[in-house]
């Protein structure tokens, strides 16, 4: 039988560039599904604009089946806010996209059980979409459109805090909100997570006289101080 560490290692390559909330959610999902006897693997995480455009071309201008309706910049994968999953088979090497498979023999489809666990963690599931269904897809959008994300808008501190609290169960690992000051004057609010301070970078940077821009292709926040 595969150990939890072995199962986790299969997804490690796709998790590094995810938004911290998505990283926490994906890790929790892998662990929860493993506890149900359903090992899963994350097959997609952060995608570049070029990678998204290549997927969009599939079934249109290149060979293969159509797998997405989103052009580059129009997918939540491009911002680290989405993942795709599949079932990891007992040999630890093969992957299954069989949505009716019942590998843990509990008379319930493993795929549906994964989707239900994901939704408990705050993910939206592509299998619930009414038009183009994407059964492998999970995302957390924080109410933001891809147009807003392209313009550099990010989830608020409170949204991140609430999402982590849901993922952590009670939210006990997240410290209460804190105040960020400059020379004794409040400039924004933030929170502490495992000893790390999270605060809106724009508020802090502008208080220090810097301008902020966002490069969605490389997922880079640029600070420039004249």
């Amino acid at each position: 039988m595969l150990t939890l560490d072995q199962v986790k290692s299969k997804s490690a390559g796709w998790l590094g560039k995810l938004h911290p909330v998505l990283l926490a959610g994906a890790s929790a999902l892998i662990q929860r599904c493993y506890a149900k006897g359903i090992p899963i693997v994350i097959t997609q995480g952060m995608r570049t604009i070029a990678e998204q455009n290549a997927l969009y071309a599939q079934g249109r201008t290149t060979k293969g089946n159509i797998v997405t309706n989103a052009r580059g910049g129009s997918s939540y994968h491009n911002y680290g806010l989405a993942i795709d999953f599949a079932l990891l088979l007992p040999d630890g090497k093969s992957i299954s996209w069989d949505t009716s498979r019942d590998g843990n023999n509990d008379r319930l489809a493993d795929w549906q059980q994964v989707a239900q666990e994901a939704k408990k963690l705050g993910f939206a599931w592509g299998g619930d979409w009414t038009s183009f269904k994407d059964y492998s897809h999970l995302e957390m959008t924080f109410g933001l459109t891809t147009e807003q994300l392209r313009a550099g808008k990010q989830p608020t501190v409170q949204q991140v805090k609430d999402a982590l609290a849901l993922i952590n169960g009670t939210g006990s690992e997240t410290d209460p909100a804190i105040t960020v000051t400059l020379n004794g004057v409040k400039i924004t609010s933030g929170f502490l997570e495992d000893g790390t301070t999270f605060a809106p970078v724009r508020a802090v940077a502008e208080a220090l006289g810097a301008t902020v821009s966002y490069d969605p292709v490389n997922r880079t926040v640029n600070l420039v101080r004249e």
Side-chain angles (χ1 to χ4, degrees), residues 80-112:
L81 296 179
I83 58 175
D84 292 341
F85 74 90
L87 305 177
L88 183 62
L89 297 182
D91 64 6
K93 299 178 182 179
S94 306
I95 295 174
S96 173
W97 281 271
D98 181 358
T99 58
S100 62
R101 175 179 167 79
D102 179 19
N104 60 353
N105 297 312
D106 63 355
R107 298 184 179 181
L108 298 171
D110 294 347
W111 205 278
Q112 290 290 333

Side-chain angles (χ1 to χ4, degrees), residues 29 32 112-128 138 140 166:
L29 180 63
R32 287 191 182 195
Q112 290 290 333
Q113 289 181 276
V114 175
Q116 290 304 313
E117 288 301 316
K119 286 190 273 190
K120 291 177 186 177
L121 291 166
F123 285 100
W125 178 43
D128 288 330
L138 301 168
M140 293 188 193
L166 178 62

Side-chain angles (χ1 to χ4, degrees), residues 28-47:
L29 180 63
I30 293 169
Q31 186 164 339
R32 287 191 182 195
C33 293
Y34 180 84
K36 288 180 170 291
I38 308 172
I40 65 170
V41 60
I42 305 304
T43 59
Q44 287 278 298
M46 170 71 181
R47 288 190 201 130

